Amino acid sequence: MEGVFRKSANIGSIKRLQDRINKGEKIDFENDPEYKDNVHVASLHASVLLKTFFRSLGEPLTTNKLYPKLAALSEISKAEKSAAVKEFVKLLPRDNYILLKTVIKFLTKVAENSKVNLMTANNLSVVFGPNLTWPTDQEVPISQLNNLNNFCYKLIVDYDSVFDH
């Protein structure tokens, strides 16, 4: 879907999906009556639901505790950035690491289809950088946003070298 993750959905629809998920229901984006024969709406709702999930966590996947180390990545030279990102990712709690690895793998697949969806690694990093990294326990200067987006960009484009398989 062109612009997936950049579009918004009806808030009521997303709240209903969240309620269903919170009740333990499975959402079938291919066969539920609301989505049957409407891949556009299914894609839109799934993408908004994913972003909403990350925003609703008590803290970012990269954790509040590790935020100073993440912020320090802005001082690392371009040549050493990938290695520094890999070292940072190793510091994450195991569950956070697994979820981050999974979502970034998915984002690499989205980026591979950027000719159709127009969501390049850069576009995806602008959308997901703040959702995955923005600390919830401190004020962050808006100037730090570029660093957080760049971190997410490196995760996507250097996926194979950053994450252990």
Side-chain angles (χ1 to χ4, degrees), residues 90-128:
K90 287 180 181 179
L91 299 173
L92 292 171
R94 178 132 180 84
D95 291 342
N96 296 47
Y97 175 89
I98 291 168
L99 182 53
L100 183 64
K101 179 180 178 181
T102 303
V103 76
I104 296 300
K105 180 64 174 176
F106 169 68
L107 295 179
T108 66
K109 298 293 185 193
V110 174
E112 286 172 7
N113 291 287
S114 65
K115 284 189 169 105
V116 174
N117 62 37
L118 306 180
M119 295 303 291
T120 63
N122 189 60
N123 292 341
L124 290 165
S125 70
V126 168
V127 172
F128 279 90

Side-chain angles (χ1 to χ4, degrees), residues 6-165:
R6 286 208 167 176
K7 299 182 180 202
S8 57
N10 176 282
I11 294 172
S13 296
I14 300 305
K15 290 294 278 175
R16 280 191 299 281
L17 284 170
Q18 287 176 301
D19 290 343
R20 286 179 62 192
I21 291 167
N22 288 338
K23 290 176 186 171
E25 291 182 37
K26 299 260 188 255
I27 308 297
D28 185 338
F29 286 104
E30 291 180 326
N31 297 308
D32 278 7
E34 182 177 4
Y35 304 117
K36 188 83 174 148
D37 301 320
N38 198 343
V39 70
H40 180 80
V41 171
S43 299
L44 177 63
H45 285 185
S47 69
V48 171
L49 196 58
L50 182 62
K51 290 187 304 185
T52 302
F53 168 74
F54 287 115
R55 280 195 301 268
S56 69
L57 295 175
E59 66 177 321
L61 273 186
T62 55
T63 76
N64 290 329
K65 180 181 171 187
L66 291 174
Y67 179 75
K69 290 184 185 303
L70 179 57
L73 290 176
S74 65
E75 307 300 320
I76 304 293
S77 72
K78 201 172 189 173
E80 297 174 6
K81 188 77 77 173
S82 291
V85 167
K86 180 176 180 144
E87 290 307 309
F88 174 84
V89 167
K90 287 180 181 179
L91 299 173
L92 292 171
R94 178 132 180 84
D95 291 342
N96 296 47
Y97 175 89
I98 291 168
L99 182 53
L100 183 64
K101 179 180 178 181
T102 303
V103 76
I104 296 300
K105 180 64 174 176
F106 169 68
L107 295 179
T108 66
K109 298 293 185 193
V110 174
E112 286 172 7
N113 291 287
S114 65
K115 284 189 169 105
V116 174
N117 62 37
L118 306 180
M119 295 303 291
T120 63
N122 189 60
N123 292 341
L124 290 165
S125 70
V126 168
V127 172
F128 279 90
N131 288 312
L132 300 175
T133 62
W134 201 267
T136 56
D137 68 344
Q138 59 192 285
E139 290 292 319
V140 177
I142 201 75
S143 60
Q144 195 49 239
L145 189 57
N146 189 46
N147 180 48
L148 302 179
N149 292 350
N150 184 261
F151 169 76
C152 189
Y153 175 81
K154 295 303 280 179
L155 292 175
I156 296 168
V157 299
D158 295 337
Y159 175 85
D160 289 330
S161 63
V162 168
F163 292 96
D164 295 329
H165 298 285

